[in-house]
Amino acid sequence: EALQHYPNLLERYILPQPRVALGPLLIDIATSCIDISDGLCADLNQICEASQVGAEIKQAAIPLSLIAKKLVKNNKNNWQYVLGGGDDYELLFTANKNKRKVIKKLANQIGVPISRLGSIKTAGGVLVLNKTGDLVPVDVQGWKHF
């Protein structure tokens, strides 16, 4: 139904814009990197499991298109699609704090917006926190290949 009312979402799904210019620039800067194809939380969980760490995401820091902002404002349950839906093909990466300025500079040079979503934690799992610091349950777990 949303795709009928919001054709730009369908266009973005059919013709994604992978961040092929940014990826190579992150070599030797990022400590991990993955594209968001299976879902934000699912792909971040893959990074966390491989690195034996956890992550904390601030829900308000997740960049949304105007359409997505409208959809989550009208129905808070649509956050599940933001957190668990896939096929975004945006890069999700981690880096040390001391690399923030150089990453921002590189992104500005090539015109790719970046957002700091949260932080890596020693405890396992991916947590999403709302503006008041409460845990946001993630019901849509992303695409499972096996």
Side-chain angles (χ1 to χ4, degrees):
E1 177 184 336
L3 294 179
Q4 293 172 343
H5 299 313
Y6 304 101
N8 290 350
L9 291 178
L10 179 60
E11 182 181 323
R12 175 100 193 247
Y13 174 74
I14 292 172
L15 191 60
Q17 297 178 3
R19 302 306 183 180
V20 294
L22 180 61
L25 298 177
L26 295 174
I27 295 171
D28 296 328
I29 295 173
T31 53
S32 67
C33 186
I34 192 169
D35 72 329
I36 303 174
S37 57
D38 296 338
L40 173 62
C41 289
D43 288 322
L44 181 54
N45 192 58
Q46 288 182 46
I47 287 175
C48 290
E49 284 182 356
S51 302
Q52 298 179 337
V53 295
E56 191 175 279
I57 297 175
K58 295 178 182 175
Q59 184 181 25
I62 299 171
L64 299 175
S65 67
L66 293 175
I67 295 166
K69 285 178 186 177
K70 183 176 181 180
L71 289 171
V72 298
K73 183 179 180 183
N74 292 342
N75 183 347
K76 299 294 181 202
N77 292 330
N78 286 332
W79 268 108
Q80 293 302 315
Y81 299 109
V82 172
L83 299 171
D87 294 318
D88 293 310
Y89 302 102
E90 293 291 343
L91 292 181
L92 176 65
F93 63 93
T94 60
N96 292 321
K97 289 181 199 180
N98 63 356
K99 301 292 185 181
R100 288 182 188 160
K101 286 182 182 179
V102 71
I103 292 168
K104 187 173 182 172
K105 182 179 178 183
L106 290 172
N108 287 339
Q109 285 175 349
I110 61 171
V112 173
I114 59 169
S115 300
R116 182 171 177 252
L117 303 183
S119 56
I120 298 298
K121 304 293 181 184
T122 55
V126 174
L127 302 177
V128 180
L129 304 177
N130 65 18
K131 288 181 183 178
T132 59
D134 295 323
L135 186 64
V136 175
V138 180
D139 300 326
V140 179
Q141 297 299 316
W143 176 255
K144 302 288 187 211
H145 293 273
F146 303 102

